[in-house]
Amino acid sequence: MKYLDEYRDQRIARALAAEIAGCTTRPWVLMEICGGQTHTIMRYGIDELLPSGIELVHGPGCPVCVTPLETVDKAIELALRPEVTLVSYGDMLRVPGSRSDLLRAKAQGADVRIAYSSTEAVKIARAHPARKVVFLAIGFETTAPANAMAAWQAKREGLTNFSMLVSHVLVPPAIRALMVLSTNRVQGFIAPGHVCTVVGCKDYEHLVRDFHIPIVVGGFEPVDLFEAILMLIRQLEAGDAKLENQYVRSVSYQGNLQAQQIMAEVFEVADQKWRGIGLIPQSGLRLREEYAAYNADRVFDLGEISIDEPVECMSAQVLQGLKKPTDCPAFGMRCTPENPLGAPMVSNEGACAAYYHYRRHSVAH
Ligand code: SF4
């Protein structure tokens, strides 16, 4: 297939669904890691076309959803400082912190700007030397190379008014953390294609080996996902556990070596707190010591804070595939995209937002 339309072709999708039904003999629980894949599944009703025994549960691959509450609070605190311009991806503006969000801070007069890339934040810093420009650098391995490049560029130019509040997370340690949960039900994973475009498939081999679990790197279109599910079911039915790559048009075994090089130059692996889930060892990236001058935590001496998640929000269970968004009593009632209680209802990649936009009819309360 060459064109995007073909990856959305109903006839191909239905043929794959029939093939899945034909080779499924018992129930299986599969998890798609990436929130973008969750949205495709909900939008096209992929789960409804699968045999009833196949359950899809949704993983923690929504970067906005897993950004810790403490990072959101720090970003708000920085934004409210008169000398600071806080630059962020648009999704982060409505993510609730413990008391407010960046959109409200903006309404209070904070200089909060939306950017589509970290490069824009560097441009703002260059153009406004009297402002202290802070970029809220969040996301998975997908956004890490561009954010690394921003810090590298700022250092090269000797910019002294640019820094980053970093909250980067890594997928493989999160899969490991899910697999060791006593409550884990997942029997096969669809790994995130965009992340693997950067880091390749290789980082998933040890998970397949250690947990004897099949992993298929999958794309984001309906046909991609049907194909990835078929590959997983074939493995599970045969008792296999292999790493396979469905998203070959974008992902290679080694990934993008230049992107990995800039990431390694600027960031180092560190323990990381995931919103709702808690600390996962060696699951994040932080700026290396050589980049301390670009670390907003250090520049503004923000220190460590710890805040409890709101009790009402079940995002921890949703992000670990233990509950569906519609299991949450607040879903569609007290929690909506207009008035979100938790990050998964805000983000374009959040599972609660996906259910709200495409499955509102299934609210049971
Ligand atoms: S519906 Fe809202 S409150 Fe419930 S888990 Fe999702 S984000 Fe949290």
Side-chain angles (χ1 to χ4, degrees):
M1 290 191 286
K2 275 172 31 191
Y3 303 108
L4 191 58
D5 282 358
E6 294 171 289
Y7 290 95
R8 295 178 182 169
D9 188 305
Q10 270 196 44
R11 280 168 310 139
I12 301 172
R14 285 188 187 279
L16 286 165
E19 222 175 315
I20 292 167
C23 68
T24 305
T25 64
R26 56 201 143 135
W28 298 109
V29 179
L30 312 178
M31 173 181 276
E32 82 284 354
I33 292 288
C34 180
Q37 293 166 331
T38 306
H39 274 250
T40 302
I41 288 164
M42 290 297 121
R43 181 174 178 188
Y44 292 94
I46 289 173
D47 52 336
E48 293 178 343
L49 288 167
L50 295 175
S52 56
I54 297 180
E55 185 184 354
L56 297 181
V57 295
H58 320 304
C62 159
V64 169
C65 305
V66 298
T67 299
L69 199 50
E70 289 84 352
T71 304
V72 180
D73 277 8
K74 283 181 183 179
I76 295 166
E77 188 205 316
L78 281 174
L80 288 169
R81 295 189 187 196
E83 73 277 21
V84 169
T85 296
L86 194 288
V87 184
S88 167
Y89 299 123
D91 266 17
M92 284 302 294
L93 262 64
R94 299 194 62 246
V95 175
S98 61
R99 289 183 303 277
S100 183
D101 58 43
L102 283 169
L103 200 60
R104 276 185 231 172
K106 190 172 167 61
Q108 286 167 27
D111 185 3
V112 178
R113 303 191 195 181
I114 295 172
Y116 293 99
S117 78
S118 46
T119 318
E120 289 179 50
V122 175
K123 271 190 204 157
I124 293 169
R126 211 181 280 133
H128 303 279
R131 305 288 301 160
K132 290 187 188 308
V133 177
V134 180
F135 181 66
L136 183 48
I138 67 145
F140 287 88
E141 294 93 325
T142 332
T143 50
N147 292 345
M149 183 58 86
W152 181 87
Q153 183 69 31
K155 188 177 183 197
R156 205 174 94 148
E157 290 182 29
L159 282 179
T160 55
N161 65 329
F162 175 79
S163 61
M164 303 201 304
L165 185 59
V166 175
S167 180
H168 270 300
V169 282
L170 304 171
V171 173
I175 294 182
R176 183 169 290 278
L178 292 175
M179 286 305 297
V180 298
L181 284 177
S182 59
T183 45
N184 175 55
R185 296 162 55 229
V186 179
Q187 295 161 296
F189 287 96
I190 303 175
H194 290 156
V195 163
C196 295
T197 302
V198 174
V199 295
C201 306
K202 61 186 186 315
D203 290 357
Y204 293 79
E205 276 180 336
H206 60 94
L207 293 165
V208 169
R209 191 185 56 236
D210 293 353
F211 298 104
H212 191 74
I213 189 157
I215 298 180
V216 173
V217 178
F220 298 84
E221 296 299 331
V223 167
D224 288 322
L225 287 162
F226 276 116
E227 216 167 51
I229 293 164
L230 178 60
M231 290 161 84
L232 281 174
I233 297 296
R234 279 191 179 138
Q235 284 200 50
L236 287 164
E237 291 283 342
D240 285 341
K242 294 184 289 193
L243 174 64
E244 292 185 298
N245 181 12
Q246 179 277 328
Y247 202 36
V248 285
R249 66 186 184 279
S250 184
V251 173
S252 65
Y253 180 75
Q254 292 291 352
N256 182 330
L257 296 178
Q258 280 174 308
Q260 291 167 35
Q261 194 181 347
I262 187 74
M263 277 165 71
E265 184 171 330
V266 173
F267 293 125
E268 61 189 359
V269 174
D271 294 348
Q272 172 73 28
K273 188 172 179 187
W274 294 53
R275 186 169 190 167
I277 298 174
L279 191 88
I280 303 179
Q282 301 292 285
S283 69
L285 297 173
R286 69 177 172 212
L287 286 163
R288 288 187 180 278
E289 196 55 35
E290 301 89 291
Y291 284 84
Y294 301 92
N295 182 345
D297 267 302
R298 301 274 280 272
V299 172
F300 296 93
D301 197 16
L302 295 175
E304 287 303 314
I305 52 171
S306 180
I307 302 158
D308 291 332
E309 295 288 334
V311 182
E312 200 175 9
C313 179
M314 293 172 53
S315 64
Q317 288 106 305
V318 171
L319 290 166
Q320 293 173 93
L322 304 173
K323 296 274 184 199
K324 296 278 169 62
T326 42
D327 296 329
C328 175
F331 177 83
M333 309 292 280
R334 286 179 309 290
C335 182
T336 63
E338 293 73 36
N339 187 24
L341 291 179
M345 188 56 97
V346 182
S347 167
N348 282 336
E349 297 185 68
C352 300
Y355 273 70
Y356 187 88
H357 289 304
Y358 306 117
R359 294 287 163 81
R360 216 173 157 191
H361 59 274
S362 61
V363 179
H365 37 270

